[in-house]
DNA sequence: ATAATTTATGAAATGCGTTTCAATGCAATA
DNA sequence: TATTGCATTGAAACGCATTTCATAAATTAT
């Protein structure tokens, strides 16, 4: 495979001139420019991008850390990141972690070794302290509220979102409310839990731990929840469901097992995925695509030096009333 | 940032020895090994991975070309690729093309410039001829039947899958059958169309072009199909639906608009996504996760020199009977 | 006409780890 | 004791493009 020196030799110019031509810099005589392009074509030359990366000290790749690719919540975010990245000539390196700290660390290491110019963390298990150790290696954007930790972020106000759902249910007369969540740890989950408890406190009601369903991620988990509900003596009358997928599962498996929504169980879910519309589920719209886009924009602002301080952006949510309450 | 030469100097050894230590090669005295690690720690050294890539001539990154990340069909494949890649220490670079030939070409170019060691093409628009120009630059695996084009592939037999669905519908007495598809071009779609026509021919029935619904990708497209069906004088009694998502949309929007499945319309869909189970949709299971895994395995076989010729693997499908027919 | 710019161009340094090759030191075999 | 062979180690070459710096030539400004 030809390299830039061979091109230089064949074109009768220096490597510097070749580089200038290849990168469309000014100050090259037209004849030399021609000669270089001719040589490039003759030798079927292509840059070795790894040499470029080494020389430039950057790769135009940003890493995306997320637990699962195959989940609408995360692939929406990735979609958003991807769209913006494309517009700016960046590529995406995917790190599917399954919430494994070891894998998260490996991904972070990619920032140190300059495999990626920056990192967007869609969700994580690793601690903020640990993350901070990597801040000096390049920009990191978190998709969660980073209040109190001095890191950049774009986030959805999950407290507000849950509060919105809770108050809606309460206004509709519900008092026995539970919720379904993907996991109980993590900033986003903790914010939601706080809203849940605060909302209940507002109506002088104590939370019931058995009405909190953990590990609810996909449709099939809805079936599990339905089963659990059916075997309960004292059931909640309403559920906040942190994913439209799970909500869909609850509605559909509920139908088959005699747990009708909203007759026997009211549901407010989150995401506003098309499935919620199709099932008439009242949901809180979460701007996931925008969050991905914004995340890239923030990181890009760091690259172009537009931003040097930590940025924190909060995206608005809104409740979409349908027929599941 | 420290480099390997500084480590060598501090440790009082040659860079070759440092490299040996860093890469866990044998033949280094224990004392020197210690000295190197100590220097590494003292200078807080990390390899510059771009230099490694340049020197080794490979990146341990494989590119994944796909039209949309945010679609269960593709994210299942990516999930499979990702799982296997992880096991072998490879990373994934994502190229979301939206079926734009220009973007596909850019992704292919990444193989030439050695940004990626290999490429998995989940779906494409670009021609086989064009693709072949890049074969010399590294292994390329297609997720489609590549009969007649001498390229490696892992594929689902979409002809067989559609034929399975058609014969099932026909056995149930249906004669007026249409289908919904993501796009009409592409190998996979053409194979499906062929099966559709062959199956109809077998029962001496002529295909009805107006019963073929193009651009059916997501739940919302199901609503469109329902609407179109309702406005038809002469409706099909059954539909093959190339995506469980769309099928779900048809079932759910049909319910609201008085088009009951299976009473007014029988449906056999494809993928066997959890949503199909939840809705009781009869579907043909497509091993998408396995396809992704297998795709990576094939490409990996090329890397380790296990395979030098084109491989073509066909994965089996099976019909899962539920209640939509 | 002279000074001040601007245009052009190449040599050489830079970014940095891997790998080959030759050489030296030691131990085991003949 | 001589020889074969493995264990160790470093110098130097290699992969390759970018960028700085110095220089030279061509313009433009004064």
């Amino acid at each position: 495979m030809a390299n830039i020196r061979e091109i230089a030799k064949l074109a009768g110019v220096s490597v510097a001139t070749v580089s200038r031509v290849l990168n469309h810099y000014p100050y090259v005589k037209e004849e030399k420019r021609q000669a270089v392009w001719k040589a490039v074509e003759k030798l079927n030359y292509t840059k070795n991008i790894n040499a470029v990366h080494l020389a430039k000290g950057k790769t135009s790749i940003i890493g995306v850390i997320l637990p699962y690719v195959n989940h609408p919540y995360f692939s929406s975010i990735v979609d958003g990141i991807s769209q913006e990245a494309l517009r700016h000539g960046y590529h995406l390196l995917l790190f599917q972690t399954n919430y494994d700290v070891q894998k998260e660390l490996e991904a972070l290491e990619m920032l140190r070794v300059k495999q990626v110019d920056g990192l967007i963390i869609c969700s994580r298990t690793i601690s903020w302290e640990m993350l901070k150790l990597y801040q000096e290696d390049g920009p990191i954007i978190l998709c969660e509220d980073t209040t109190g930790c001095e890191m950049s972020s774009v986030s959805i106000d999950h407290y507000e979102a849950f509060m919105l759902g809770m108050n809606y249910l309460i206004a509709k007369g519900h008092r026995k409310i539970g919720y379904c969540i993907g996991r109980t740890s993590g900033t986003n989950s903790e914010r939601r839990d706080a809203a849940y408890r605060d909302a209940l406190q507002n109506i002088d009601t104590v939370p019931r731990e058995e009405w909190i369903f953990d590990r609810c991620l996909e449709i099939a988990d809805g079936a599990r929840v339905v089963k659990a509900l059916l075997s309960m003596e004292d059931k909640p009358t309403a559920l906040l469901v942190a994913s439209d997928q799970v909500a869909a599962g609850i509605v559909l498996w509920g139908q088959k097992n005699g747990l009708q929504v909203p007759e026997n169980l009211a549901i407010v879910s989150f995401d506003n995925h098309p499935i919620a519309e199709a099932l008439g589920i009242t949901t809180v719209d979460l701007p996931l695509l925008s969050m991905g886009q914004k995340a890239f924009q923030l990181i890009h602002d760091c690259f172009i030096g537009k931003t040097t301080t930590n940025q924190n952006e909060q995206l608005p949510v809104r409740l979409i009333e349908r027929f599941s309450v």
Side-chain angles (χ1 to χ4, degrees), chain A residues 256-308:
Chain A
K256 296 186 203 175
N257 296 282
L259 185 81
Q260 292 292 327
V261 173
E263 293 77 7
N264 314 135
L265 179 73
I267 281 184
V268 171
S269 72
F270 299 82
D271 289 355
N272 192 25
H273 186 274
I275 200 174
E277 187 187 2
L279 281 165
I281 297 173
T282 293
T283 190
V284 177
D285 178 75
L286 306 184
L288 299 169
L289 193 89
S290 310
M291 186 164 72
Q293 295 174 328
K294 199 75 212 173
F296 181 84
Q297 285 160 14
L298 280 193
I299 222 164
H300 190 250
D301 285 349
C302 294
F303 294 151
I304 61 178
K306 193 171 149 194
T307 301
T308 48

Side-chain angles (χ1 to χ4, degrees), chain A residues 160-175 177 199 203 238-240 262 266-270 280-284 318-325:
Chain A
E160 167 68 15
F162 246 49
M163 193 52 95
L164 213 58
M166 286 299 285
N167 287 340
Y168 182 77
L169 287 173
I170 291 167
K172 292 286 184 178
H174 290 280
R175 291 295 176 275
I177 309 173
I203 54 167
L239 233 42
L240 245 44
I267 281 184
V268 171
S269 72
F270 299 82
I281 297 173
T282 293
T283 190
V284 177
R318 68 179 212 286
L319 188 124
I320 296 175
E321 255 186 293
R322 288 201 271 247
F323 320 102
S324 61
V325 178

Side-chain angles (χ1 to χ4, degrees), chain A residues 108-120:
Chain A
L108 284 162
E109 208 57 34
M110 292 300 113
L111 195 56
R112 282 208 75 194
V113 302
K114 296 175 186 301
Q115 165 76 265
V116 298
D117 295 345
L119 225 33
I120 294 174

Side-chain angles (χ1 to χ4, degrees), chain A residues 142-262:
Chain A
L142 287 161
C143 295
E144 67 187 79
D145 186 351
T146 50
T147 302
C149 100
E150 283 142 47
M151 294 197 76
S152 289
S153 66
V154 208
S155 59
I156 284 165
D157 190 340
H158 287 287
Y159 182 93
E160 167 68 15
F162 246 49
M163 193 52 95
L164 213 58
M166 286 299 285
N167 287 340
Y168 182 77
L169 287 173
I170 291 167
K172 292 286 184 178
H174 290 280
R175 291 295 176 275
K176 298 167 73 173
I177 309 173
Y179 75 86
C180 302
I181 192 84
R183 54 172 190 159
T184 51
S185 56
T187 310
N188 293 338
S189 294
E190 283 160 11
R191 299 298 296 140
R192 288 184 268 224
D193 188 68
Y196 171 70
R197 288 168 202 279
D198 287 354
L200 286 184
Q201 182 140 51
N202 290 345
I203 54 167
D204 297 312
T205 304
V206 290
R208 293 272 292 262
E209 304 302 329
E210 69 273 27
W211 290 347
I212 298 177
F213 300 88
D214 190 15
R215 298 172 180 284
C216 290
L217 282 163
E218 36 176 54
I219 294 179
D221 295 312
R224 208 188 68 226
V225 172
V226 167
K227 203 172 161 192
L229 285 173
L230 288 174
S231 70
M232 268 182 195
E233 281 288 290
D234 191 14
K235 299 178 180 49
T237 63
L239 233 42
L240 245 44
V241 185
S243 160
D244 283 333
Q245 302 302 119
V246 179
I250 293 175
V251 168
L252 295 170
W253 290 102
Q255 263 169 27
K256 296 186 203 175
N257 296 282
L259 185 81
Q260 292 292 327
V261 173

